[in-house]
Amino acid sequence: MLGLMQDAPLLLSGMLEHGARYHGDQLVVSAGLDHGIERLDFRTLAQRCRQLASALLAEGCRPGEVLGSLSWNHHRHLEVFHAVPGAGMVLHTANPRVFPEQIAYALNLSRARWLFVDPDCLELAERLAPDLEHVETWILLARPEDMPATTTLPDPLCYEDLLASGKADWAWPSFDERTASTLCFTSGTTGPPKGALYSHRGSVLQAMAVAGAGVQAYGADDVLLVPAPLFHCNGWSTPYTCPMTGARLVFPGRELEPARLLRLIVEEGVTFAMAVPTVWLSILEILREEGGDLGRLGRIVTGGTAPPEAMMAELERDYGVRSIHAWGMTETTAMATYSHIPPGTPPADRIAIRARQGIPMQGSEVRIVDDEGHPLPRDGAAIGHLQIKGHWMVRDYFRRDDVRLTDDEGWMETGDVATIDSAGAMRITDRSKDLVKSGGEWISSIDLENAAAGHPDVLEAAVIAVPHPKWQERPLLLIVPRPDRAPTAEELRDFLATKVAKWWLPDEIVFVDELPHTATGKVLKTALRERYAKP
Ligand code: AMP
């Protein structure tokens, strides 16, 4: 027997309109634009999204087709982000930070006919244009006065003019909630990038789960700083959760220079911020050197790579900022697990628990399996391949029938290696391709990096496997020292000996000025292996 409940599809336009109607005065703050900060309230945001959507349909865009964007975070990109899926089309958010060949590959695969271009990405778009096989219409995300005097792009439209031609009272259509909404590609450090095609239903459920997940929940008193780009994992779902909860959205723009982020945090009264650990490490470095504080900031979400415990401890001890550690990947829309502190946990144990990637948000489930795919115990000791399933995990890659991502029961391979303890908390020990296998035993590069990052003279640490004649592989530790510090290899090894098993200690420690990072803030281990791990 079916329940007698009303049934309406879960559509993203509903979240936007909720924000306009019930949190209409709340703001989207776009910093980092050439002409200064722009502030737009949610009421106007929704109206502009309706105008844009109706204008696009009037210009001949068809429901179901893919439109592309090449842009940093600001309200115009946010409008495209809502308007395109809201009208039943799909937005492919191309990542301007990856190699141009990868951008062209992805846009050719998605067959986008329209491309929205940030004026700041104009040069990149001009370079890409000859290689884009399907793009016919270029729209510059600009005001008429900011349109370039000359460009090699063929007759680009001015975004504000296009938007002005649309109808403010246009009504969002209703359609199947499984309709595709946005398309996001992996950073593709190995092989061509792979596309994750999200749906309205998955994105709505993900946003609802995030906004309600324990300490992570936020509301209308919160001011969210979102350096996480819209082109990666739906901007960690903040374009949906902010209108839904009424929280203010602050976009820092392209430059994520730590001193500027710090200024924004204080000046805009940011209470909650989301960013990868490197951002927090650099901000702490400034505070240590120059003094100051983090204003109203009370909580951060950090993820994308494992945060050092020392960083979370310093944020909490010296600035009263609680860290929520989250894990997710392009294939999981945005975050899928978060650190959960069970009630009654003694304060001394909290940071160690936060260092775990944590429990799945309701609506997703995780497990670990051995090499043959047999489930492993949840005892905190067994290490296995992490698999996940749930409402916002992708099933297959976009137009890649040659790759199998999920098994018949819906378990998706994550490529991560983890333990799960009896309380269900998951701890990533490695990316499977980053594992160090020494004498048949696994050494966790993440644990070693975390231990090294706890040394007071260390700014950043990375571990890679290097071939070894006897042990097959041994860990190599690369260290970026803090400014004006010169730790020695011997000091570091003595320090590590108090934190990890003796056979984990790296035989070699290399000091470098900086580490290469991917477009999404992860250490680019392929480049390090290329340079340091050649047999
Ligand atoms: P991407 O698809 O670029 O978002 O990368 C996803 C991968 O980043 C995951 O499979 C993990 O290897 C890594 N990752 C994301 N969040 C975390 C985290 N909190 N701790 C450790 N690794 C993480």
Side-chain angles (χ1 to χ4, degrees):
M1 188 192 299
L2 295 179
L4 289 173
M5 306 306 289
Q6 298 187 13
D7 197 8
L10 300 170
L11 297 179
L12 292 167
S13 52
M15 294 197 151
L16 177 71
E17 289 299 340
H18 177 88
R21 196 162 303 134
Y22 301 107
H23 306 288
D25 293 333
Q26 188 53 284
L27 298 177
V28 181
V29 180
S30 308
L33 299 167
D34 284 346
H35 50 271
I37 295 189
E38 283 192 44
R39 296 171 197 277
L40 193 77
D41 63 44
F42 284 179
R43 195 176 300 108
T44 316
L45 173 78
Q47 179 201 305
R48 285 169 58 88
C49 292
R50 279 180 244 125
Q51 281 179 274
L52 176 61
S54 60
L56 288 171
L57 292 171
E59 289 290 330
C61 294
R62 299 178 294 264
E65 82 166 283
V66 178
L67 285 73
S69 66
L70 191 63
S71 177
W72 311 111
N73 287 5
H74 43 67
H75 74 82
R76 291 189 181 83
H77 195 195
L78 182 66
E79 288 154 11
V80 177
F81 196 86
H82 279 290
V84 171
M89 298 168 292
V90 183
L91 184 69
H92 169 185
T93 50
N95 178 348
R97 288 212 176 95
V98 298
F99 294 118
E101 310 84 75
Q102 294 183 331
I103 305 176
Y105 166 85
L107 283 166
N108 288 339
L109 194 68
S110 70
R111 301 177 200 146
R113 287 190 306 137
W114 284 55
L115 187 62
F116 293 89
V117 178
D118 195 313
D120 197 64
C121 298
L122 179 61
E123 217 178 287
L124 175 60
E126 287 176 337
R127 255 191 301 144
L128 285 169
D131 296 324
L132 299 183
E133 293 161 11
H134 303 277
V135 177
E136 296 163 5
T137 308
W138 306 79
I139 314 99
L140 279 178
L141 290 167
R143 307 175 300 179
E145 60 269 41
D146 300 325
M147 287 298 280
T150 57
T151 171
T152 56
L153 294 183
D155 301 323
L157 302 180
C158 169
Y159 175 81
E160 288 295 337
D161 289 344
L162 173 71
L163 190 141
S165 71
K167 297 193 183 81
D169 60 353
W170 184 77
W172 298 104
S174 181
F175 41 78
D176 190 322
E177 64 187 17
R178 292 164 303 172
T179 302
S181 52
T182 44
L183 172 64
C184 170
F185 279 74
T186 58
S187 331
T189 46
T190 50
K194 296 190 276 302
L197 183 60
Y198 309 140
S199 68
H200 283 255
R201 176 186 157 82
S203 300
V204 167
L205 290 173
Q206 203 279 341
M208 285 180 165
V210 172
V215 292
Q216 186 168 300
Y218 46 85
D221 291 334
D222 277 304
V223 179
L224 252 79
L225 179 76
V226 186
L230 293 176
F231 57 72
H232 181 235
C233 292
N234 276 348
W236 298 17
S237 272
T238 53
Y240 314 128
T241 49
C242 285
M244 180 183 146
T245 61
R248 180 169 303 190
L249 195 52
V250 180
F251 286 140
R254 174 190 180 157
E255 297 307 329
L256 301 183
E257 201 238 323
R260 208 173 67 78
L261 288 182
L262 182 54
R263 217 169 35 243
L264 264 182
I265 288 174
V266 175
E267 286 172 4
E268 295 293 331
V270 169
T271 62
F272 197 155
M274 306 186 166
V276 293
T278 12
V279 168
W280 301 115
L281 288 169
S282 326
I283 285 180
L284 282 174
E285 194 59 34
I286 297 181
L287 290 171
R288 241 179 265 126
E289 294 209 337
E290 298 173 12
D293 59 38
L294 286 162
R296 292 179 63 211
L297 188 68
R299 291 173 297 166
I300 62 160
V301 169
T302 187
T305 174
E309 277 182 39
M311 177 195 100
M312 294 192 283
E314 188 174 350
L315 278 167
E316 183 147 353
R317 187 189 59 233
D318 298 350
Y319 304 98
V321 174
R322 245 184 316 157
S323 302
I324 300 150
H325 175 193
W327 170 92
M329 53 197 303
T330 308
E331 293 84 341
T332 66
T333 308
M335 56 193 82
T337 73
Y338 69 103
S339 52
H340 159 69
I341 313 288
T345 305
D349 296 344
R350 291 183 183 197
I351 292 290
I353 293 182
R354 284 204 182 110
R356 295 177 197 156
Q357 282 69 15
I359 62 169
M361 292 186 303
Q362 200 283 323
S364 60
E365 193 49 277
V366 290
R367 69 173 189 181
I368 47 172
V369 297
D370 63 18
D371 288 343
E372 279 73 48
H374 304 303
L376 289 168
R378 293 169 169 244
D379 59 6
I383 300 177
H385 304 282
L386 180 70
Q387 298 183 330
I388 189 161
K389 65 169 157 181
H391 299 306
W392 52 89
M393 317 309 153
V394 297
R395 193 182 58 223
D396 289 303
Y397 286 118
F398 178 70
R399 295 187 178 146
R400 285 293 301 271
D401 295 342
D402 55 319
V403 186
R404 184 140 199 253
L405 187 60
T406 39
D407 68 13
D408 295 340
E409 290 171 29
W411 288 105
M412 185 190 97
E413 280 305 334
T414 64
D416 283 345
V417 176
T419 61
I420 300 178
D421 67 19
S422 56
M426 185 266 285
R427 191 171 70 85
I428 303 272
T429 57
D430 251 310
R431 220 36 221 149
S432 43
K433 58 182 186 294
D434 293 341
L435 273 173
V436 185
K437 202 155 197 183
S438 176
E441 297 286 341
W442 284 351
I443 294 177
S444 160
S445 68
I446 291 183
D447 286 355
L448 253 186
E449 286 160 4
N450 213 331
H455 189 281
D457 294 345
V458 171
L459 185 62
E460 208 178 0
V463 169
I464 54 166
V466 290
H468 189 278
K470 178 168 175 200
W471 303 109
Q472 292 92 47
E473 285 180 351
R474 291 292 299 153
L476 169 81
L477 174 62
L478 291 117
I479 294 287
V480 182
R482 285 206 166 130
D484 306 323
R485 306 284 178 88
T488 64
E490 203 182 339
E491 272 165 26
L492 280 172
R493 237 189 309 270
D494 288 348
F495 176 79
L496 287 174
T498 64
K499 312 259 172 206
V500 299
K502 194 153 172 283
W503 62 276
W504 280 33
L505 291 179
D507 306 325
E508 201 185 341
I509 300 180
V510 176
F511 295 92
V512 291
D513 291 339
E514 58 179 359
L515 291 169
H517 289 95
T518 67
T520 48
K522 300 182 211 315
V523 172
L524 190 55
K525 292 202 174 174
T526 41
L528 294 179
R529 280 193 283 269
E530 186 69 23
R531 165 122 198 241
Y532 297 99
K534 282 273 161 76

